[in-house]
């Protein structure tokens, strides 16, 4: 029996995947399966940019691990496969979403995937401006500061996420007086740029159909997904909103 490929939406951190995923949720009977190795952990939402409380769309494998636990990639793949089967049984379309450099290759080795991605343009100024906007959001109403303070209160101060050099390490250095707020923000942007490059280096080894964040609107990606649904045979098994 031919196994149909499962849908993946990927892209590097901070590229703006959420806007594209929101468009897909509006148009297709999708249930999202987390494919971000940080968002599997409970409690932490601001730094990872967790959006699984939005839209009333069913989302899976977010926040299911304690902040003290380590992610087991093989166990994740088993769980994700079981969840995808259940979503399909309900007549919905499973969609893996995230930019993990470890989880995406592991899923690809376990099942056929149709991978679509959102990538930044080859424009360093655009990338910096986009990431700077994200970083500014962390400090709006002290969202990140309050999350860190609460994490310490709950005993999560020495977890891997709080030692993460992408966001939390710089924020803790700022709160500890080791750098100014502006130095903290610049350090975060720099770390995210490095992460983007590392993610793209992995993604470039995979077969991914790309759209570019600076010029392709979310509707462009949705059109590609609609064509894929038709060509792959998924439409006949989907229930719910029209695809």
């Amino acid at each position: 029996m031919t196994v149909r490929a499962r849908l993946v939406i990927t892209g590097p951190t901070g590229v703006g995947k959420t806007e594209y995923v929101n468009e897909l949720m509006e148009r297709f009977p999708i249930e999202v399966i987390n494919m971000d190795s940080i968002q599997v952990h409970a409690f932490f939402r601001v730094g990872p940019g967790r959006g699984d409380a939005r839209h009333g769309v069913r989302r899976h494998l977010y926040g299911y691990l304690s902040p003290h636990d380590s992610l087991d990639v093989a166990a994740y793949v088993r769980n994700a496969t079981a969840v995808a089967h259940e979503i399909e049984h309900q007549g919905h379309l499973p969609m893996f979403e995230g930019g993990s450099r470890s989880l995406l290759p592991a899923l690809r080795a376990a099942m056929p995937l149709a991978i679509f991605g959102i990538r930044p343009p080859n424009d360093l100024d655009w990338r910096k401006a986009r990431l700077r906007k994200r970083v500014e959001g962390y400090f709006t109403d002290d969202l990140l500061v309050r999350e860190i303070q609460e994490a310490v209160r709950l005993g999560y101060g020495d977890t891997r996420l709080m030692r993460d050099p992408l966001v939390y390490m710089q924020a803790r250095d700022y709160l500890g007086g080791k750098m100014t707020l502006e130095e903290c923000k610049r350090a975060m942007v720099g770390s995210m740029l490095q992460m983007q490059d590392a993610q793209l280096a992995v993604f470039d080894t995979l077969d991914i159909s790309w759209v570019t964040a600076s010029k392709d609107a979310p509707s462009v990606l949705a059109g590609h997904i609609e064509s894929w649904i038709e060509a792959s045979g998924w439409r006949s098994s989907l229930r719910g909103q029209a695809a």
Side-chain angles (χ1 to χ4, degrees), residues 1 18 34 55 73 75 84 95 118 139 142 146 164 166 171 181 196 210 220:
M1 182 178 68
T18 298
N34 173 44
H55 305 288
V73 173
M95 184 182 79
I118 303 102
F139 293 95
D142 286 334
R146 289 190 283 111
D164 178 67
L166 198 64
L181 179 58
Q196 284 188 346
W210 292 105
V220 173

Side-chain angles (χ1 to χ4, degrees), residues 12-17 126-127 130-131 134 192 196 199:
T13 188
V15 77
K17 291 187 292 294
W126 186 95
R127 293 169 64 194
R130 182 86 189 194
L131 294 174
R134 178 171 181 167
M192 289 182 188
Q196 284 188 346
Q199 289 170 304

Side-chain angles (χ1 to χ4, degrees), residues 184-218:
C184 173
K185 292 176 179 179
R186 287 202 305 266
M188 286 181 177
V189 170
S191 292
M192 289 182 188
L193 284 170
Q194 292 178 4
M195 175 61 77
Q196 284 188 346
D197 289 338
Q199 289 170 304
L200 288 167
V202 172
F203 297 156
D204 284 342
T205 68
L206 305 174
D207 182 16
I208 299 178
S209 299
W210 292 105
V211 297
T212 302
S214 61
K215 68 182 183 67
D216 295 319

Side-chain angles (χ1 to χ4, degrees), residues 92-230:
H92 293 165
L93 180 65
M95 184 182 79
F96 296 97
E97 188 248 323
S100 173
R101 292 171 291 166
S102 59
L103 299 184
L104 178 53
L107 283 172
R108 181 172 173 266
M111 66 184 76
L113 300 176
I115 312 174
F116 295 84
I118 303 102
R119 70 183 304 148
N122 186 24
D123 181 339
L124 184 59
D125 288 338
W126 186 95
R127 293 169 64 194
K128 285 181 176 179
R130 182 86 189 194
L131 294 174
R132 179 69 186 219
K133 182 178 179 180
R134 178 171 181 167
V135 167
E136 292 292 347
Y138 290 152
F139 293 95
T140 300
D141 297 326
D142 286 334
L143 289 174
L144 185 62
V145 171
R146 289 190 283 111
E147 182 176 78
I148 289 173
Q149 291 170 338
E150 182 67 3
V152 171
R153 188 186 72 80
L154 293 172
Y156 300 150
D158 195 39
T159 58
R160 185 178 71 85
L161 271 67
M162 287 284 274
R163 298 192 302 272
D164 178 67
L166 198 64
V167 172
Y168 290 102
M169 183 182 295
Q170 293 92 331
R172 294 187 74 180
D173 283 348
Y174 158 63
L175 293 174
K178 296 180 180 179
M179 61 173 64
T180 66
L181 179 58
E182 178 57 30
E183 289 170 340
C184 173
K185 292 176 179 179
R186 287 202 305 266
M188 286 181 177
V189 170
S191 292
M192 289 182 188
L193 284 170
Q194 292 178 4
M195 175 61 77
Q196 284 188 346
D197 289 338
Q199 289 170 304
L200 288 167
V202 172
F203 297 156
D204 284 342
T205 68
L206 305 174
D207 182 16
I208 299 178
S209 299
W210 292 105
V211 297
T212 302
S214 61
K215 68 182 183 67
D216 295 319
S219 59
V220 173
L221 178 60
H224 293 326
I225 301 301
E226 185 162 11
S227 297
W228 171 76
I229 288 174
E230 290 284 1

